[in-house]
Amino acid sequence: MAAAAELLLEGGFEAVRHRSVATRADLPLASTTYYFESLDDLIARAVEFSGNAELDAMRRRVGEVSHRRRGAEATVDLVLDLLVGSDGPDEGARGQLIARYERSVASARHPELREVQLRLRAQLDELLADVLRRSDRMVRPEQLRRLVAVVDGAVVAALTEIDPEPRRMARGALLEVIDIVAPPARAATPEPAAYASADGPVRATPQQVDRYRALD
């Protein structure tokens, strides 16, 4: 599967053929036609292999993230570490990003790829939710999809530019909505203050606490 995934990354779906995979893997052609029912089956397996490799890298990144309250910029940067990676001259990273969106588009036409993409997306959503919780952000499934949609739209638009900077474009778009789609979690309500009475300590109501503070 590694050979098919490499070809998928290098040349897209057109590069994945039984003969090219066998040649890359240094195997007889009969081995690929024996183990895979069809070319579509081979491509679907390559997509899943490639997607799982990306998810493994994302899990390692999430494992490095500490749990603390983060502002909008720090949270956005963590999300983009998972969804986009870094801008720069790394052609391998750019090719991987392009391949990811090619998979998404192709899954709209091919049912066997759609099932694979749904499985991969579910795992990606879990990782994003984990990162947001570690940043002390509220996570709602419907808003998580919107977050991804904002990034996807910005990245696809950036990839059509002559000098693409998908992370920069996605960062600007996501900063505008991050506090809406993943707002900071509410701080815990403090315990009411206690005051003394003849019968012992009594808890003040929140309204009383506010009134006392106003008098300070």
Side-chain angles (χ1 to χ4, degrees):
M1 269 301 88
E6 288 173 5
L7 290 167
L8 182 66
L9 180 61
E10 294 169 8
F13 289 92
E14 293 301 317
V16 182
R17 295 292 183 267
H18 284 287
R19 186 175 298 279
S20 61
V21 172
T23 300
R24 175 64 64 93
D26 196 21
L27 293 171
L29 177 60
S31 64
T32 62
T33 56
Y34 177 80
Y35 285 107
F36 303 102
E37 297 177 359
S38 64
L39 179 60
D40 287 342
D41 182 37
L42 175 59
I43 290 174
R45 300 285 188 88
V47 165
E48 190 152 26
F49 184 94
S50 180
N52 282 326
E54 290 179 12
L55 288 169
D56 286 342
M58 292 178 188
R59 289 189 186 95
R60 290 192 293 272
R61 177 68 183 97
V62 172
E64 298 169 353
V65 178
S66 61
H67 191 159
R68 65 178 178 83
R69 196 171 187 85
R70 290 182 173 85
E73 292 195 359
T75 302
V76 165
D77 285 337
L78 284 176
V79 169
L80 295 181
D81 283 350
L82 299 186
L83 294 180
V84 182
S86 60
D87 278 334
D90 186 347
E91 287 299 318
R94 183 170 180 270
Q96 189 176 58
L97 190 62
I98 292 172
R100 186 186 306 162
Y101 285 100
E102 284 179 337
R103 295 198 307 258
S104 296
V105 173
S107 68
R109 291 184 180 274
H110 302 283
E112 65 279 0
L113 289 181
R114 190 176 304 125
E115 293 300 319
V116 172
Q117 281 296 107
L118 288 174
R119 289 196 295 272
L120 295 173
R121 178 189 293 177
Q123 295 177 72
L124 175 60
D125 286 350
E126 290 175 4
L127 290 171
L128 286 172
D130 192 3
V131 159
L132 292 172
R133 292 190 186 100
R134 290 178 186 230
S135 299
D136 207 15
R137 297 265 167 173
M138 296 176 64
V139 178
R140 289 169 289 185
E142 69 279 6
Q143 296 288 32
L144 201 60
R145 283 285 88 214
R146 291 174 185 170
L147 182 154
V148 174
V150 168
V151 174
D152 286 348
V155 169
V156 170
L159 288 173
T160 64
E161 300 289 337
I162 295 175
D163 187 18
E165 293 183 309
R167 182 176 177 118
R168 181 182 63 80
M169 189 170 287
R171 191 175 192 273
L174 193 52
L175 276 172
E176 293 184 6
V177 300
I178 188 65
D179 286 336
I180 299 172
V181 297
R186 294 186 181 89
T189 304
E191 285 289 325
Y195 63 92
S197 75
D199 298 323
V202 177
R203 291 286 177 187
T205 66
Q207 292 81 6
Q208 289 172 322
V209 171
D210 290 340
R211 187 163 63 250
Y212 297 151
R213 286 174 178 165
L215 294 174
D216 286 344

